[in-house]
Amino acid sequence: MRRRLALTLSLAMLSACTAAAQSVRLYVFDCGRLKAANPAVLLDHGVTTTDMSVSAYLIVHPRGTLLWDAGVIPDALVKPEGTTEARATVHTTLKGQLAKIGYEPSDIKYLALSHNHYDHSANANAFASATWLVQRPERAVMFPATPPATPINGAARWSELKNSKTKILDGDYDVFGDGTVVIISTPGHTPGHQSLLVNLKKTGAVLLSGDLYHYPAERTLKDFTPFASLGNPRQEAASKAKVEALLKEKHAQLWIQHDLLADAKLKKSPAFYQ
Ligand SMILES: [Zn+2]
């Protein structure tokens, strides 16, 4: 009897999980372009397109929404004809793209940044009412007990997260508790860098890279790690090995967020993946 009950329960959980996977949607937002800081080293390694895409993503789950990353230029500075700031150019606001599919920033339940860098976090303050999902060492870098003499580039644009409802993470984290949307701890580029695994019913598993990789050549060329010196190269190598194993295990696609050519082929919101 007890065995039958357990079987019934596990079947119920399985069907709940399948139902959730069926209804999970992944939207891709165009948050502009970024020029490479040092294209010469990239061109030397055969990277012919050195400009990078900047994207944000919305995951819509029956139990709530998760915004992944927040762009490179704050919406308030984005003019209809486009705005360029340093190496970045943006033509469309994140808020406008969310509004087109019926969401206000206050509707967003969870905010997770792959990492704190300015090209992933420019609109973070607009989502300070969400629950912030952040790795413990990343938050420690962003809000140290003693503020640094020189603030981190872009810090004013995520400063309001300090008072957000916050879920501090110590590793991988299953956001909705059913395995469909899982934050994968991938430190190295920054101390609490993270990636996102989304299990979609039709599309299959997709892993959003954050800045674990910037260009596909970093996967194919041995020892080509043009950004490793920005962070902790040993940690970054371990995170890459972890992700490559996960991609195999889950038969997942890797979406390199900064890969302009691959990003150009993705459906953009209001279209979505499911
Ligand atoms: Zn980046």
Side-chain angles (χ1 to χ4, degrees), residues 113-117 132 134-143 189-194:
L113 305 173
S114 58
H115 61 301
N116 74 77
H117 286 170
W132 183 32
V134 61
Q135 300 291 331
R136 189 179 301 276
E138 195 73 2
R139 193 181 187 285
V141 166
M142 295 167 76
F143 300 112
H189 186 67
T190 60
H193 182 279
Q194 52 192 8

Side-chain angles (χ1 to χ4, degrees), residues 34 52-54 69 114-115 117 119-120 189 210-211 214 258:
L34 188 61
M52 293 177 268
S53 48
V54 180
D69 279 350
S114 58
H115 61 301
H117 286 170
D119 58 314
H120 297 259
H189 186 67
D211 278 7
H214 297 68
H258 281 312

Side-chain angles (χ1 to χ4, degrees), residues 117 187-191 227-236:
H117 286 170
H189 186 67
T190 60
F227 301 91
S229 63
L230 292 175
N232 179 325
R234 192 185 50 79
Q235 263 189 339
E236 185 176 295

Side-chain angles (χ1 to χ4, degrees), residues 172 182-186 193-197 207 242-243 246:
D172 300 350
V182 185
I183 289 177
I184 307 295
S185 171
T186 48
H193 182 279
Q194 52 192 8
S195 305
L196 189 71
L197 180 67
L207 194 128
K242 175 183 175 178
V243 159
L246 187 66

Side-chain angles (χ1 to χ4, degrees), residues 33 73 77-79 81-91:
R33 275 192 185 208
I73 295 178
L77 302 181
V78 177
K79 299 176 196 143
E81 68 272 24
T83 294
T84 295
E85 185 184 70
R87 289 187 282 117
T89 300
V90 175
H91 287 91

